[in-house]
């Protein structure tokens, strides 16, 4: 039940967030590693079993964990639950619970109901994760708009990267998976990305460590917009050198 256990989980299961967290100041890592380990556990819970009821039980475990955290109860003896409760204030519990609830969609094979459902899913997952991290690092209310805008864009980018695997698992990840639909979605993501980036000055410098995990968003969305076929083919990745260079720039400038 240590920070190292959380870091190891993130390193193995979410390498982009691991690199981003290692680029953050050491004090921020004590918050980000437990939070990202929690997110990883929740995100993969629907995929670890084939029986929906068992997946629901796995998500309910985490809902119970964050409910107890919100009530100020002693944390469970769990390698992620205990560090999470130590890293975050009780006030973060409702947003984490909403994140878990949104992940129930991943259990089943239903398509998104409509645009509102799609948007709510991205805001509850990507948006709440980034905002909880930023708040824990000192962001105030003025920063919520730009942080959620950038996180929404990052959620679109992550979903586009996951399209081949999701479709292979008989899921329907997009409202419109045609080339025109992919192009329009990527364009919308870029609009939200630029909207958030333009207002980064409203985010306190220590809280910007929460944005490092979003550093790949712009290039992925640009690639999907210019060549939608790369989404279905799983070819949105750029070079290791380019990724590292962008992360270094974000680390040095404090801007993604």
């Amino acid at each position: 039940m240590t920070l190292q256990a959380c870091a190891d989980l993130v390193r193995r299961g979410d390498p982009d967030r691991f690199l981003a967290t290692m680029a953050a100041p050491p004090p921020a890592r004590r918050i980000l590693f437990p939070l990202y380990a929690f997110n990883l556990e929740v995100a993969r819970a629907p995929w670890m079993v084939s029986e929906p009821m068992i997946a629901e039980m796995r998500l309910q475990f985490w809902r119970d964990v964050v409910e107890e955290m919100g009530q100020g109860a002693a944390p469970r003896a769990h390698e992620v639950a205990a560090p999470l409760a130590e890293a975050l204030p009780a006030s973060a519990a409702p947003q984490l619970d909403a994140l878990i609830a949104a992940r129930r969609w991943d259990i089943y094979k239903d398509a998104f109901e409509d645009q509102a459902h799609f948007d709510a899913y991205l805001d509850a997952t990507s948006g709440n994760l980034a905002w909880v991290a930023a708040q824990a690092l000192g962001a105030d209310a003025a920063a919520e708009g730009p942080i959620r805008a950038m996180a929404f864009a990052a959620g679109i980018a992550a979903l586009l990267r996951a399209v081949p695997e999701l479709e292979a698992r008989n899921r329907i990840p997009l409202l419109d998976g045609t080339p025109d639909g992919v192009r329009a979605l990527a364009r919308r993501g870029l609009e939200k990305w630029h909207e958030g980036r333009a207002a980064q000055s409203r985010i306190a410098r220590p809280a910007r460590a929460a944005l490092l995990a979003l550093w790949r968003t712009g290039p992925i969305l640009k690639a999907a917009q210019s060549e939608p076929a790369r989404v279905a083919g799983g070819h949105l990745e750029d070079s290791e050198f380019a990724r590292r260079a962008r992360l270094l720039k974000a680390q040095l400038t404090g801007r993604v």
Side-chain angles (χ1 to χ4, degrees):
M1 294 184 293
T2 66
L3 183 67
Q4 187 60 50
C6 292
D8 288 342
L9 280 172
V10 177
R11 177 180 54 80
R12 294 192 301 269
D14 194 345
D16 281 352
R17 284 197 174 94
F18 178 79
L19 291 175
T21 305
M22 291 304 295
R29 297 174 198 167
R30 303 193 66 82
I31 292 170
L32 296 177
F33 273 134
L35 178 59
Y36 292 159
F38 156 82
N39 181 65
L40 178 62
E41 292 286 279
V42 171
R44 69 185 183 182
W47 307 99
M48 294 179 69
V49 294
S50 58
E51 175 54 54
M53 184 58 68
I54 297 177
E56 291 271 16
M57 291 171 62
R58 288 177 179 271
L59 290 182
Q60 186 59 49
F61 168 83
W62 287 107
R63 297 192 79 170
D64 292 343
V65 166
V66 299
E67 180 182 12
E68 292 164 0
M69 188 179 80
Q71 295 170 346
R76 300 186 183 201
H78 183 278
E79 64 179 353
V80 176
L84 181 75
E86 294 174 5
L88 297 177
S91 59
Q95 294 171 85
L96 296 182
D97 184 68
L99 184 158
I100 300 166
R103 286 292 182 184
R104 291 185 65 247
W105 179 83
D106 296 340
I107 297 174
Y108 304 99
K109 298 180 181 180
D110 301 325
F112 287 108
E113 297 169 7
D114 50 28
Q115 190 69 59
H117 183 202
F118 180 86
D119 290 0
Y121 173 86
L122 290 183
D123 189 54
T125 52
S126 186
N128 278 0
L129 181 65
W131 179 230
V132 165
Q135 280 186 301
L137 294 172
D140 60 22
E144 183 171 8
I147 288 171
R148 284 195 180 274
M150 284 186 282
F152 188 87
I156 291 176
L159 194 59
L160 290 173
R161 287 177 65 197
V163 161
E165 181 175 357
L166 291 171
E167 290 183 340
R169 291 172 178 255
N170 297 315
R171 299 308 201 267
I172 307 172
L174 303 179
L175 289 168
D176 182 354
T178 67
D180 285 345
V182 169
R183 186 178 289 109
L185 180 60
R187 184 184 308 115
R188 184 174 179 224
L190 284 169
E191 289 171 356
K192 298 291 285 187
W193 181 246
H194 295 315
E195 172 192 327
R197 291 186 76 239
Q200 280 187 86
S201 61
R202 288 156 48 185
I203 305 170
R205 182 66 183 250
R208 294 182 195 176
L211 301 180
L212 290 171
L214 315 181
W215 97 96
R216 298 188 59 193
T217 301
I220 290 170
L221 292 175
K222 288 176 183 176
Q225 182 184 28
S226 63
E227 298 180 70
R230 293 175 65 177
V231 173
H235 301 309
L236 291 176
E237 302 295 326
D238 49 6
S239 72
E240 181 73 12
F241 175 80
R243 291 199 298 272
R244 299 272 184 163
R246 276 192 295 273
L247 180 57
L248 179 60
K249 181 180 178 181
Q251 179 185 28
L252 294 176
T253 64
R255 297 177 62 87
V256 291

